[in-house]
């Protein structure tokens, strides 16, 4: 009897032990499941929030691509053009939000991030003014309620002071395009000293005439190939930013042929962010309304250069500029 009692007690104890182990195992499984779920959901949230800040960070890291550095000037000699290779044309897929605000809630940040990824932005730029066409260009821009960026030649600023003032007053950006626009003066030495000196001179002159301190330059004839790394370092150290372009309208070469200018622009437009090179020329004035209409139709919004929302657009892909 005693023996069988003992066996029963032992069995009962074994059953209890098994149950306890089973409960323990179930608890462990449950706890690990909860832990895994928590970790996973945290990861997913992290991923969502990092992808919700999409292109803004990329803007500074990535560089828009160049298209055609041959800024339009007949002053360029054959010899000058020999080394003038066209940089490769690639999609910059940069975008940038002109209207970001620090107080956004998470939801609206995500929404604006989504909008940002979809947004197509175009910067119209006009070189070599101010001149007799500046007011006509301003009239067209005003009529369409859009703003543009002008790269003006310093030696012309005084004579066209009222157009320059109007341009600034109406919300366009006054960029710098050197005093002389002379290839030999700006680049023949190979050094950056004269180049920097001309741009500083123009910066001071514009400031004297309008009270505006401009820091964005466009190198005459584009920055490639004549402006190398050390040259760019000097530009950076002088406190300038430098823009080339992504679309070359080649407008300067189509005298009397505005349809050709329009065709050039249409052919090259495809990126999420475009910077179109144009000049203050008669055929450009004639082509401009149709170019604007085309870009609107393609879903682009028009942006003007803003130092606080600088985007990198140079052929050297130099993020310092
Ligand atoms: Zn020019």
């Amino acid at each position: 009897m005693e023996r069988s009692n003992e066996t029963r007690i032992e069995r009962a104890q074994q059953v209890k032990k098994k149950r306890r182990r089973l409960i323990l195992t179930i608890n462990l499984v449950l706890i690990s499941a909860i832990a895994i779920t928590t970790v996973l959901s945290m990861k997913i949230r992290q991923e969502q929030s990092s992808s919700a800040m999409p292109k803004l960070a990329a803007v500074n890291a990535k560089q828009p691509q160049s298209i055609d550095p041959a800024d339009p000037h007949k002053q360029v000699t054959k010899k000058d053009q020999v080394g003038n290779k066209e940089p490769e044309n690639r999609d910059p897929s940069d975008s940038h939000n002109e209207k970001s605000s620090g107080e956004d809630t998470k939801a609206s940040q995500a929404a604006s991030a989504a909008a940002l990824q979809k947004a197509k932005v175009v910067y119209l730029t006009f070189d070599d003014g101010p001149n007799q066409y500046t007011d006509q260009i301003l009239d067209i821009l005003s009529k369409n309620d859009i703003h543009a960026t002008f790269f003006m030649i310093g030696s012309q600023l005084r004579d066209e002071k009222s157009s320059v003032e109007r341009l600034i007053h109406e919300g366009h950006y006054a960029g710098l395009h050197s005093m002389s626009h002379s290839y030999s003066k700006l680049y023949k030495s190979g050094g950056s000293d004269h180049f920097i000196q001309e741009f500083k001179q123009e910066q001071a002159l514009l400031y004297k005439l309008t009270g505006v301190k401009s820091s964005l330059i466009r190198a005459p004839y584009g920055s490639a190939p004549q402006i190398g790394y050390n040259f760019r370092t000097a530009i950076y150290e002088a406190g300038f930013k430098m823009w080339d372009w992504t679309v070359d309208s080649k407008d300067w070469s189509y005298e009397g042929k505005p349809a050709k200018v329009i065709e050039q622009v249409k052919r090259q437009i495809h990126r999420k962010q475009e910077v179109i090179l144009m000049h203050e020329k008669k055929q450009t004035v004639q082509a401009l309304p149709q170019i604007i209409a085309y870009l609107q139709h393609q879903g682009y919004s028009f942006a003007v250069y803003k130092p606080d929302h600088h985007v990198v657009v140079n052929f050297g892909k130099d993020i310092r500029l």
Side-chain angles (χ1 to χ4, degrees), residues 71-73 127-128 177 181 220 279:
D71 190 57
H73 293 284
D127 287 16
D128 297 2
H177 199 41
H181 205 285
H279 294 79

Side-chain angles (χ1 to χ4, degrees), residues 200-267:
K200 283 196 167 166
Q201 193 186 338
E202 187 186 13
Q203 188 181 48
L205 177 60
L206 181 73
Y207 183 75
K208 191 180 156 196
L209 293 174
T210 66
V212 167
K213 189 180 178 187
S214 178
S215 56
L216 184 67
I217 73 168
R218 174 169 279 159
Y221 315 99
S223 71
Q226 57 268 24
I227 295 183
Y229 183 81
N230 292 339
F231 204 126
R232 291 200 302 271
T233 301
I235 295 170
Y236 164 70
E237 283 172 355
F240 294 116
K241 297 286 185 188
M242 181 176 73
W243 261 20
D244 287 302
W245 53 85
T246 64
V247 171
D248 182 357
S249 71
K250 296 185 164 67
D251 54 350
W252 58 275
S253 68
Y254 295 126
E255 206 176 316
K257 295 171 187 164
K260 287 274 182 192
V261 182
I262 298 163
E263 195 188 306
Q264 271 296 339
V265 172
K266 283 186 181 177
R267 195 184 298 160

Side-chain angles (χ1 to χ4, degrees), residues 41-59:
S41 72
M42 273 167 70
K43 264 198 171 175
I44 287 166
R45 236 176 275 154
Q46 270 178 359
E47 272 168 19
Q48 278 174 345
S49 67
S50 67
S51 72
M53 304 194 1
K55 299 289 171 184
L56 272 180
V59 164

